[in-house]
Amino acid sequence: MIYREMLAQDYSAAYKLWENTEGMGLSAADSEEEITRYLQRNAGLSQICEDEDGNVAGTALCGHDGRRGFMYHVAVSTSCRGRGVGRELVNRCLNNLREEGIAKCHLMVIGDNELGRGFWSGVGWQFRDGLALYSQDT
Ligand SMILES: CC(C)(COP(=O)(O)OP(=O)(O)OC[C@H]1O[C@@H](n2cnc3c(N)ncnc32)[C@H](O)[C@@H]1OP(=O)(O)O)[C@@H](O)C(=O)NCCC(=O)NCCS
């Protein structure tokens, strides 16, 4: 497995993984233009994993607002699951945030995504009960 920074040119292959991944909520914010802007604004933080044939095995989008980190689209292809790829992607992102002086990272999971919730607990993330998420168009 090869781990490296996810770049704008990885978009098409990454999007194919995301649209075939159950539990992944995709929206207009996942267009090539918006993902490219995200990757450029948060350069050096997001990670991609490729298998020995160059196929995308997993992705993790990572960024921060100067105060807290945030991760999105942590996904591993079904054939590569259970081999530590998800954990490694997340650890690399956390290391990148730490190096930028960001002490904590947050992550949203769709409430009924039991697989995803099991993973985040499995890699030691704290479930934050008692928080509510509000959103508004700009
Ligand atoms: C969640 C996901 C990224 C996990 O990727 P993965 O590469 O299979 O995970 P890993 O092999 O790195 O697992 C890391 C640890 O978490 C544990 N784990 C993984 N999924 C788990 C689950 N559903 N329940 C409990 N533990 C789980 C593993 O046992 C492993 O622990 P270990 O290292 O002590 O053995 C992958 O299943 C996926 O892409 N799911 C669909 C997308 C999704 O739901 N993403 C998360 C929401 S954003």
Side-chain angles (χ1 to χ4, degrees):
M1 293 294 182
I2 295 162
Y3 295 87
R4 60 171 176 82
E5 179 184 358
M6 182 173 162
L7 301 167
Q9 53 262 40
D10 297 312
Y11 175 80
S12 299
Y15 194 87
K16 273 199 193 85
L17 168 64
W18 300 339
E19 65 184 354
N20 287 311
T21 298
E22 210 177 319
M24 185 125 302
L26 294 175
S27 72
D30 297 300
S31 68
E32 183 161 13
E33 186 187 357
E34 298 217 21
I35 294 294
T36 297
R37 185 172 60 186
Y38 182 87
L39 292 171
Q40 289 172 349
R41 187 176 184 276
N42 296 286
L45 297 178
S46 296
Q47 293 287 302
I48 195 164
C49 174
E50 293 171 327
D51 68 15
E52 43 288 343
D53 299 319
N55 301 311
V56 175
T59 61
L61 293 185
C62 179
H64 69 78
D65 57 14
R67 183 169 174 274
R68 293 303 192 209
F70 239 97
M71 293 185 67
Y72 304 92
H73 294 6
V74 176
V76 174
S77 66
T78 46
S79 58
C80 295
R81 288 183 190 171
R83 293 156 60 181
V85 173
R87 181 193 285 279
E88 182 66 19
L89 287 166
V90 169
N91 282 344
R92 284 171 179 259
C93 290
L94 291 179
N95 286 339
N96 291 338
L97 287 170
R98 196 176 310 115
E99 280 172 10
E100 293 211 4
I102 302 297
K104 185 167 281 203
C105 184
H106 298 308
L107 174 279
M108 288 184 284
V109 186
I110 295 169
D112 64 0
N113 181 358
E114 296 301 333
L115 180 76
R117 293 179 69 156
F119 168 74
W120 291 107
S121 299
V123 294
W125 283 48
Q126 179 197 3
F127 173 63
R128 302 291 299 272
D129 202 4
L131 294 178
L133 178 69
Y134 290 77
S135 304
Q136 173 66 285
D137 292 341
T138 56

